[in-house]
Amino acid sequence: KSQESVKVKASPRMFKEYFQYKGISFPRLIYSEQGLREVENEFQVQDDDVFNVTYQKSGTVWMLEILSLIHSNGDPSWCRTVPNWDRGPWYETVLGLQKARSNQAPRLISSHLPVQLFAKSFFQSKAKVLYTLRNPKDVFVSLYHFAQIFRPYKEPGQLDQFLQQFLEGDVPFGSWFDHVKGWMGLRDQENFFWITYEELQQDLRGSVERICQFLGKPLEARALDGVVENASFQAMKQNKMCNFSLAPGFLLDQTQSSFLRKGIAGDWKNQLTAAQSENFDRIYREQMQGLDLSFPWDEP
Ligand code: A3P
């Protein structure tokens, strides 16, 4: 069954309602407790699965496009004919789980799950995880805009109030800090690779080469050109298979903003006040202290 043909039974009550699964909020419209339990306990990870894991708004669909293009040796045909949510389904969603199960190997699977809710069978497998992170201030700003157009999410209200919720982890998928600390705990494993949105911005070609190396799939120069060209913000904006123009109106209200919104690093500077930014820095320091890691957004 194609994703479009599956009818979602949604009652008005389900819109913007969250439920808790092991202390994390999920919007009821596209997730279910049963689905999350199945993903965690029953989903059979295969050794050749490739997982595109992120905290939301960190570059998920960008990495999905890069991985799809690498898979097709830089040829954009697949990316231009099949929606991204079918190429690399979010397996924790009700529809994504069906798709992930039925897709042919080698599968590409996306996920925003925190590590403690991820499929248990992954930890006994050789499947690969690529974890993409982004400056949390930009994640927050992107999420603030996204929450205004993504119907399953509650209205974010005033920025300041939503910022408090974000910093406390009181948003779907929980705390950014916990997500990052949880997944980065795997950083010494050879089937785990991490990269930042900012590195993709700075040097897309070099980043793609590193990703190919991790995947054990080196590409020739022309194929690499194909990946870089077709994964640019402009190219993705024009591709209806990844710009979410095919997303149904009951999920995404694209009259005010779009999924591929600005696509830049550092937009937080235009959106946060000095006081909000300082408060963010203070909590960031508290939460991340002792973590032996440096990111492009850290001060020298
Ligand atoms: P902005 O809202 O800051 O524009 P996710 O896919 O994890 O939901 O992340 C969405 C964010 O990634 C959006 O950020 C979107 O514009 C950005 N993005 C997606 N594709 C991109 C690309 N090719 N280049 C730069 N940014 C991209």
Side-chain angles (χ1 to χ4, degrees), residues 37-78:
R37 254 195 309 275
E38 276 180 40
V39 165
E40 191 184 346
N41 299 306
E42 287 158 36
F43 187 81
Q44 288 303 311
V45 170
Q46 297 165 11
D47 284 339
D48 55 0
D49 286 340
V50 171
F51 286 94
N52 168 33
V53 181
T54 56
Y55 185 86
Q56 56 184 334
K57 313 321 290 175
S58 301
T60 326
V61 305
W62 193 3
M63 182 55 79
L64 179 48
E65 214 60 14
I66 292 169
L67 294 173
S68 302
L69 287 158
I70 293 174
H71 177 85
S72 342
N73 288 310
D75 178 344
S77 315
W78 191 40

Side-chain angles (χ1 to χ4, degrees), residues 40-203:
E40 191 184 346
N41 299 306
E42 287 158 36
F43 187 81
Q44 288 303 311
V45 170
Q46 297 165 11
D47 284 339
D48 55 0
D49 286 340
V50 171
F51 286 94
N52 168 33
V53 181
T54 56
Y55 185 86
Q56 56 184 334
K57 313 321 290 175
S58 301
T60 326
V61 305
W62 193 3
M63 182 55 79
L64 179 48
E65 214 60 14
I66 292 169
L67 294 173
S68 302
L69 287 158
I70 293 174
H71 177 85
S72 342
N73 288 310
D75 178 344
S77 315
W78 191 40
C79 291
R80 289 188 188 158
T81 48
V82 179
N84 59 359
W85 56 73
D86 284 345
R87 283 183 265 124
W90 278 250
Y91 82 146
E92 62 268 23
T93 64
V94 172
L95 294 176
L97 180 57
Q98 294 176 19
K99 193 72 198 158
R101 281 191 172 132
S102 61
N103 272 356
Q104 276 182 358
R107 301 181 298 187
L108 187 51
I109 299 173
S110 302
S111 179
H112 296 315
L113 285 177
V115 70
Q116 72 276 15
L117 302 185
F118 211 66
K120 286 190 176 134
S121 61
F122 164 73
F123 301 92
Q124 276 86 50
S125 79
K126 295 195 176 78
K128 293 182 170 153
V129 163
L130 293 101
Y131 187 62
T132 310
L133 311 85
R134 184 182 190 184
N135 183 339
K137 290 179 180 169
D138 284 334
V139 170
F140 165 73
V141 167
S142 184
L143 182 61
Y144 181 63
H145 289 93
F146 182 65
Q148 297 172 39
I149 66 168
F150 190 49
R151 306 239 199 225
Y153 280 9
K154 294 181 178 162
E155 295 287 339
Q158 295 293 315
L159 186 143
D160 203 51
Q161 174 201 332
F162 190 60
L163 179 57
Q164 285 319 307
Q165 290 172 13
F166 179 82
L167 291 170
E168 285 163 18
D170 183 17
V171 289
F173 302 103
S175 152
W176 180 88
F177 303 103
D178 291 347
H179 203 280
V180 166
K181 286 186 279 188
W183 277 105
M184 291 303 277
L186 272 58
R187 65 185 179 276
D188 292 332
Q189 295 191 14
E190 60 180 42
N191 61 343
F192 182 85
F193 173 90
W194 65 277
I195 192 162
T196 60
Y197 178 96
E198 290 73 13
E199 287 168 286
L200 296 175
Q201 285 273 8
Q202 274 271 317
D203 179 12

